[in-house]
Amino acid sequence: MLAVHLAWVIFTLLYAFFPRLHRHSCHPSCSLSKENCRELAALNLNLNISFSNTAKASQDFGHMYHDRPSAVLYASSAQDIVAIVKLAYFSRNHLTIAAKGAGHSIYGQAQALHGIVIEMSSLKGIEVGVHGFGEAAVPSVEASGGELWIDVVKEALKKGMAPRSLTDYLYLSVGGTLSNAGVSGQAFRYGPQISNVLELEVVTGEMGSSLLLRFFGFYERSGDADFTRKGEFF
């Protein structure tokens, strides 16, 4: 009985003073630095992280660079991305991260050699409705950054609507085109896609904070187009 009691005391002390032994164990396939592996394990995102299926994340539309990451995060929410960005920001080992949508970037922009690629296609959700109230109400669509524009169009058409500005190729992710403005043959009349956005939830690279950016005042083409729009952070 004394031996059992003594063992319990030792276990309790280890639990209290060395919490990493039971909470921050590294994944056996993690090829990041030991410190980054421990920090990654501490985020409790293991179910959404792959350390083995990383080949696809080392390819893009340009086929010029093939930088293989050490891990791929299948983000389930903006908070997953916030956690990874914070980890990279405070990392002393220069951990690199990159967001990957449909993979149509070039020059390896969506690749992270020995780092972490955030697979945005796992972020799903499209809701077509009305934004705002009263006279300020406008038809709108709320879409996750990983959704493809072709699916946004299909959902909007069910309600008899369509986005004002689209890229000529629709099998691109919402987040990917908005990060590059989203220019097409319709831009001369309605502006690029980014100019038709009411709100954006943005995860910043500094400190990994999540901000809601609201835009005010759609512009209409009347004479010379006015590309000036106002934004505000919340």
Side-chain angles (χ1 to χ4, degrees):
M1 189 68 178
L2 179 61
V4 173
H5 181 70
L6 182 61
W8 177 255
V9 172
I10 294 174
F11 176 78
T12 303
L13 290 174
L14 288 173
Y15 189 94
F17 291 101
F18 300 99
R20 287 183 182 271
L21 292 178
H22 66 95
R23 286 187 296 180
H24 299 174
S25 58
C26 300
H27 192 283
S29 300
C30 184
S31 61
L32 298 169
S33 69
K34 291 183 178 179
E35 181 180 356
N36 288 149
C37 284
R38 286 196 297 267
E39 293 171 339
L40 194 59
L43 298 178
N44 296 320
L45 298 173
N46 290 331
L47 293 177
N48 299 323
I49 293 179
S50 174
F51 296 98
S52 54
N53 300 321
T54 59
K56 185 178 179 181
S58 65
Q59 304 176 37
D60 60 22
F61 185 75
H63 294 294
M64 296 176 64
Y65 294 85
H66 300 277
D67 296 331
R68 193 159 186 164
S70 294
V72 177
L73 169 68
Y74 295 91
S76 59
S77 67
Q79 293 309 309
D80 285 351
I81 301 175
V82 168
I84 290 294
V85 172
K86 282 185 176 179
L87 188 153
Y89 184 83
F90 290 106
S91 172
R92 290 179 293 181
N93 297 307
H94 305 291
L95 176 65
T96 57
I97 57 174
K100 177 179 177 292
H104 283 266
S105 58
I106 57 176
Y107 299 113
Q109 295 175 10
Q111 300 173 24
L113 182 62
H114 305 315
I116 299 175
V117 167
I118 303 174
E119 182 58 67
M120 300 295 290
S121 62
S122 59
L123 287 175
K124 296 294 185 180
I126 302 174
E127 184 176 344
V128 181
V130 176
H131 181 91
F133 302 94
E135 295 181 356
V138 292
S140 65
V141 58
E142 182 176 343
S144 296
E147 291 284 3
L148 300 181
W149 281 106
I150 183 65
D151 296 319
V152 172
V153 171
K154 288 178 179 178
E155 290 300 314
L157 289 176
K158 292 178 183 179
K159 300 290 182 68
M161 296 183 287
R164 290 165 31 121
S165 184
L166 290 166
T167 53
D168 296 327
Y169 183 67
L170 298 181
Y171 288 86
L172 302 172
S173 67
V174 171
T177 59
L178 293 183
S179 68
N180 289 282
V183 179
S184 71
Q186 299 164 317
F188 80 97
R189 184 176 182 85
Y190 298 110
Q193 287 177 313
I194 192 63
S195 295
N196 292 280
V197 171
L198 291 168
E199 292 183 358
L200 275 177
E201 185 175 11
V202 179
V203 178
T204 68
E206 183 176 354
M207 300 292 287
S209 56
S210 178
L211 300 173
L212 180 63
L213 177 61
R214 282 182 181 161
F215 295 98
F216 298 94
F218 279 114
Y219 64 79
E220 296 286 352
R221 181 177 175 85
S222 56
D224 294 331
D226 178 13
F227 289 91
T228 302
R229 304 190 65 216
K230 296 182 180 179
E232 203 171 306
F233 283 106
F234 290 83

